[in-house]
């Protein structure tokens, strides 16, 4: 009897072996999203590449046509419509763009990041009615406060339409009717059910009609082929890193996407990177279902442009000597406020002069970016202002990022958060990184601590420069010389006499008498080997003085923008699974403030740090104020007389 029982149980052992404790954990744990606790639940549908579709009710199919097709539409209130547009290319059509109709405007997102509204090219962010369009990393996002969000991941060629439970039973199109009934997803525009994707698409054609034909590539590779081995290793093998999600999200449809994508890559052998779009799609669905998995390391790729070298996550590359790219990535952080109007109007001239200053010292192929913060409404948080649809672009595209730059100030302006946000932008490997912040309000700790921001600036070797309305003062009695101070760094003060010279020397002796503004961003600027400049000398002085100010400022920024001669670069993944090279100097750096008591990672000790910097300046200059004040004042007057002569 025992033998018979054992024989009955043996066939069941493989079934139990395919389960582990995580399968039960993910299957029964409640959603972390409270909006999915009570029905109707929110849902989403996706089109990936040119032929992979997943409906709101999770039906998968393959289709590629020659026309434009309605993906989803609110047939009750008419609040939104989403259309996919195809164009012919070689022997099969490809997805050209995605159109979203909302607030009586048509927004078209192209695969290269361009955005067109009602036929006109626009830059992001853009807000109209209840709709906001933003660019976050490789993602373009359209948010509508009526419960619809469309996001397009440009890196993995995937667009997703997200809707709240308010649209339950109200939608129609290639994404089906959201009613938790996959059986009726192939319902046509005349409310009949069909069997094939081409019949479904033909009924939902938007605009000019075309021949009903499905150009999607569908294959059944043999088990011994390279394509099958690569895809099954990701979506079928029990040793796959996706294994924790296999019991929650069926991997079979994604394996078919992977195999079909392998066949589309003509004239070369299948490679692991060809599976990355399908892998990223699966990761996205699993994360939405509460299973936190990551894209394979082979899909997280980074590039060193000047060398043509590509490396993946987990690998690193050392740049030394001539292999270090002599280029710079510059980010302007602009607060939306009226006091910045004059500065913003002059920024294009600054960038042009900065480009000249960089080229003089051999730094070329530079890129620029703009981050805004502190605006009213949905743009209060830090956000990228695109130039020709891109996060970074050349100096001649800079004005595009300032298009429709509003001066309307919001309730708060979190400068530290904006700096931290900018530190995550996609910088090129090995180039120097320069931030130029132009605030109106004082920098304060809000959502980010001073210590966290300081740490990331030093870790990534970012130089922060601050342009602020601040008249520098001396630690001795008021002297007219302070009126001619343009700016200062840790070691020097720069005045009008530094303009036009061959070398930017500065005044080290006078620097000992200059008081540093008590501001968190100012402290960060000096700590990161940046500088502080007084914009009043730029906006309220005579034209010849403004020209001298500009000359000194751009030359100093360029001087501090030389790339490190030795850097170690790691390839890491961002929140969307896209690789970014993070390079650090070969010499370890540690914040001077980290030695101060009470200056921990939580951000405590900021006041002590600022006070210490002021005390440090005063200690080196006025150890005995009563004895030294008179002689120093005399020395300064003699120096002033020498300058006038």
């Amino acid at each position: 009897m025992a033998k018979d029982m054992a024989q009955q149980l043996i066939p069941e052992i493989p079934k139990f072996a395919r389960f582990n404790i995580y399968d039960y954990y993910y299957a029964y744990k409640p959603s972390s999203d409270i909006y999915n606790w009570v029905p109707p639940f929110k849902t989403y549908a996706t089109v990936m590449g040119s032929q992979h579709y997943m409906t709101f009710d999770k039906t998968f199919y393959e289709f590629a046509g020659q026309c434009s097709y309605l993906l989803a539409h609110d047939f009750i209130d008419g609040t939104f419509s989403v259309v996919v547009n195809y164009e012919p290319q070689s022997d099969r059509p490809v997805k050209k763009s995605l159109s979203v109709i909302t607030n009586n405007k048509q927004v078209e997102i192209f695969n290269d990041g361009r955005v067109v509204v009602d036929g006109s090219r626009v830059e992001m962010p853009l807000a109209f009615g209840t709709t906001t369009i933003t660019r976050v990393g490789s993602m373009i996002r359209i948010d509508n406060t009526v419960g619809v969000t469309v996001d397009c991941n440009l890196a993995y060629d995937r667009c997703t339409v997200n809707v709240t439970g308010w649209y339950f039973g109200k939608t129609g199109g290639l994404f089906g009717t959201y009613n938790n009934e996959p059986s009726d997803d192939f319902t046509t525009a005349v409310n009949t059910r069909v069997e094939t994707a081409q019949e479904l698409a033909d009924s939902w054609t938007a605009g000019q009609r075309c021949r009903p034909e499905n150009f999607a590539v569908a294959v059944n590779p043999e088990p011994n082929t390279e394509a099958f081995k690569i895809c099954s290793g990701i979506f079928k093998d029990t040793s796959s890193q996706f294994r924790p999600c296999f019991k929650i999200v069926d991997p079979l449809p994604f394996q078919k996407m992977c195999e079909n994508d392998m066949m589309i890559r003509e004239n070369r052998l299948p490679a692991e990177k060809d599976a990355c779009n399908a892998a990223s799609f699966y990761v996205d669905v699993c994360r939405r279902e509460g299973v936190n998995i990551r894209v394979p390391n082979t899909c997280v790729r980074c590039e060193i442009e000047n060398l043509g070298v590509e490396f993946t996550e987990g690998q690193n590359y050392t740049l030394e000597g001539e292999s270090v790219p002599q280029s710079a990535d510059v980010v302007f952080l602009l607060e939306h406020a009226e006091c910045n109007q004059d500065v913003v109007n002059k920024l294009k001239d600054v960038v042009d002069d900065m480009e000249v200053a960089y080229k003089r010292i051999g730094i070329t192929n530079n890129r620029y970016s703009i981050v805004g913060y502190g605006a009213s409404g949905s743009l209060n948080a830090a956000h990228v202002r695109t130039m020709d649809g891109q996060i970074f672009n050349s100096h001649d595209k800079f004005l595009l990022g300032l298009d429709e730059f509003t001066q309307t100030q919001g309730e708060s302006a979190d400068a530290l958060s904006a700096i931290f946000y900018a530190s995550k932008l996609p910088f090129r490997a090995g180039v120097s990184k320069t931030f130029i912040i132009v605030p109106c309000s004082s920098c304060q700790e809000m959502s980010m601590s001073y210590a966290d921001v300081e740490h990331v600036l030093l870790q990534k070797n970012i130089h922060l420069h601050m342009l602020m309305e601040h008249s520098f003062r001396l630690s001795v009695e008021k002297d007219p010389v302070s009126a001619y101070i343009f700016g200062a760094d840790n070691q020097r003060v720069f005045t009008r006499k530094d303009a036009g010279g061959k070398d930017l020397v500065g005044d080290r002796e006078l620097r000992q008498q200059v008081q540093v503004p008590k501001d968190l961003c100012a402290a960060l600027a000096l700590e990161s080997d940046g500088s502080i400049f007084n914009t009043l000398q730029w906006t309220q002085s005579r034209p010849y003085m403004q020209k001298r100010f500009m000359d000194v400022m751009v030359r100093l920024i360029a001087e501090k923008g030389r790339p490190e001669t030795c850097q170690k670069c790691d390839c890491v993944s961002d929140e969307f699974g896209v690789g970014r090279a993070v390079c650090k100097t070969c010499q370890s750096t540690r914040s001077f403030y980290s030695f101060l008591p009470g200056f921990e990672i939580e951000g405590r000790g900021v006041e002590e740090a600022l006070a210490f910097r002021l005390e440090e300046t005063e200690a080196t200059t006025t150890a005995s104020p009563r004895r030294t004040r008179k002689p120093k004042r005399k020395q300064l007057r003699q120096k002033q007389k020498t300058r006038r002569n």
Side-chain angles (χ1 to χ4, degrees), residues 31-253:
S31 172
S32 58
D33 188 347
I34 61 174
Y35 294 102
N36 271 345
W37 288 0
V38 179
F41 306 119
K42 63 182 183 181
T43 188
Y44 56 95
T46 301
V47 54
M48 193 266 285
S50 293
Q51 66 175 58
H52 310 301
Y53 286 81
M54 180 185 73
T55 69
F56 288 123
D57 294 334
K58 306 305 173 281
T59 296
F60 295 85
Y61 64 93
E62 304 284 291
F63 173 77
Q66 296 177 315
C67 300
S68 295
Y69 304 94
L70 184 68
L71 293 178
H73 175 70
D74 174 12
F75 280 95
I76 302 300
D77 302 312
T79 55
F80 77 94
S81 297
V82 183
V83 176
V84 61
N85 306 299
Y86 284 87
E87 65 178 355
Q89 190 177 93
S90 63
D91 60 338
R92 68 175 65 89
V94 296
K95 177 168 63 69
K96 179 185 71 171
S97 62
L98 197 79
S99 297
V100 180
I101 302 171
T102 175
N103 291 129
N104 298 319
K105 291 183 179 292
Q106 179 173 313
V107 182
E108 189 169 6
I109 304 174
F110 290 85
N111 296 334
D112 59 0
R114 291 178 295 122
V115 175
V116 172
V117 176
D118 289 342
S120 299
R121 183 77 171 271
V122 298
E123 300 296 339
M124 295 164 278
L126 179 66
F128 56 88
T130 58
T131 302
T132 304
I133 310 171
T134 55
R135 173 77 186 259
V136 182
S138 62
M139 188 81 72
I140 294 179
R141 186 180 179 96
I142 301 177
D143 286 291
N144 193 308
T145 57
V146 297
V148 180
T149 299
V150 179
D151 53 67
C152 289
N153 189 321
L154 303 178
Y156 290 110
D157 195 12
R158 184 178 71 249
C159 289
T160 300
V161 178
N162 309 271
V163 297
T164 64
W166 176 258
Y167 294 97
F168 186 86
K170 297 180 179 180
T171 65
L174 295 190
F175 282 163
T177 302
Y178 167 38
N179 59 3
N180 293 330
E181 293 290 344
S183 60
D184 64 1
D185 278 347
F186 274 31
T187 300
T188 66
V190 293
N191 202 28
T192 60
R193 297 186 185 183
V194 293
E195 298 296 327
T196 65
Q198 66 191 52
E199 293 177 288
L200 175 69
D202 183 52
S203 73
W204 292 111
T205 301
Q208 185 177 359
R209 301 185 66 83
C210 54
R211 184 177 59 178
E213 185 175 353
N214 189 351
F215 292 88
V217 175
V219 297
N220 290 304
E222 296 295 330
N224 59 345
T225 61
E226 188 66 21
F228 181 85
K229 292 178 181 178
I230 292 174
C231 294
S232 62
I234 297 174
F235 297 105
K236 189 175 182 179
D237 199 321
T238 55
S239 62
S240 168
Q241 68 182 77
F242 291 170
R243 167 61 186 83
C245 193
F246 282 176
K247 300 300 180 181
I248 308 302
V249 177
D250 184 7
L252 182 59

Side-chain angles (χ1 to χ4, degrees), residues 400-448:
L400 295 175
L402 298 177
D403 187 30
E404 297 186 8
F405 185 86
T406 63
Q407 309 295 334
T408 306
Q409 192 169 7
E411 295 181 358
S412 62
D414 193 346
L416 296 186
S417 178
I419 296 173
F420 191 81
Y421 171 89
S423 70
K424 296 182 178 181
L425 295 181
F427 299 102
R428 294 172 294 175
V431 304
S432 68
K433 296 174 283 294
T434 298
F435 286 2
I436 302 173
I437 187 169
V438 189
C440 279
S441 52
S442 62
C443 298
Q444 301 176 6
E445 286 186 323
M446 295 182 184
S447 60
M448 294 296 303

